[in-house]
Amino acid sequence: MQKTLLIELDYLAPIAYYSLLLKYNKVFIEACESFVKATYRNRCEILGPNGRQILSIPVKGGRSHSQAYRQTKIDYTQDWQRNHWNSIRAAYGRSPYFEHYSPYFEKFYDTQHQSLFDFNLSLLETTLKLLKTEVDFSLTNNFEKTVPGIEDWRSCIHPNPEKDKSSEVLSSKPYLQVFSDRHSFQSNLSILDLLFNEGPNAESILLNSD
């Protein structure tokens, strides 16, 4: 049976997000919503030497809850690009596949995308290519609060545990992580964690994550 997913666009989204993408025949990326603060739209989580670490992209007009996501601009008055890449390198520089995959991501921190949405979309496309998987996705043309016949996961994968439904699609099967000698397995980190640690095996883990 044809299954269709509706989901938002996140920054280097959690593993549960990509696990969802691979489970549907058709995916709609919400492109007409307002920007939602304190979500994965402009933040991701990695595993650093001191444990889970949040990387957050500053945005212009961040206090406005009414601005459209596609009109939300990245704030480059802060040196977040260098900070994010240094954090990623410190977290995964010793991982098995960092040398192979890092050039594909490092370029995003050397150039400036004005639009947060376009930045995240380019990262999504790059990540899917590295996973060597095809996801039939397209962008929505208008915003609908409810969409009959489509499974709506917008804002369901969330940093706030009270709003997060990741456990419904992710069983957190362990894989070897950097710093496993000092930290227990950390589930549902950014897709970067899975790619840098598992490489070509990442897609298989995603497909068998429920």
Side-chain angles (χ1 to χ4, degrees), residues 77-143:
T77 62
Q78 303 179 43
D79 196 10
W80 68 270
Q81 286 180 294
R82 182 175 62 84
N83 293 335
H84 281 211
W85 186 248
N86 285 346
S87 295
I88 291 169
R89 187 168 50 198
Y92 300 112
R94 294 193 292 122
S95 64
Y97 295 95
F98 182 79
E99 185 175 345
H100 179 74
Y101 291 122
S102 62
Y104 295 95
F105 293 104
E106 185 175 14
K107 64 183 181 180
F108 284 96
Y109 300 92
D110 288 333
T111 58
Q112 294 188 358
H113 288 69
Q114 296 306 308
S115 163
L116 176 66
F117 188 93
D118 291 344
F119 179 71
N120 287 340
L121 184 60
S122 294
L123 277 170
L124 173 65
E125 292 169 342
T126 296
T127 303
L128 290 174
K129 288 179 181 178
L130 295 178
L131 288 169
K132 298 187 184 303
T133 187
E134 292 187 9
V135 174
D136 181 13
F137 77 85
S138 56
L139 305 181
T140 60
N141 294 316
N142 51 72
F143 181 82

Side-chain angles (χ1 to χ4, degrees), residues 10 12 70 109 181 194 201 205:
D10 290 341
L12 292 172
R70 296 195 79 168
Y109 300 92
D181 58 330
L194 185 60
N201 195 41
I205 292 174

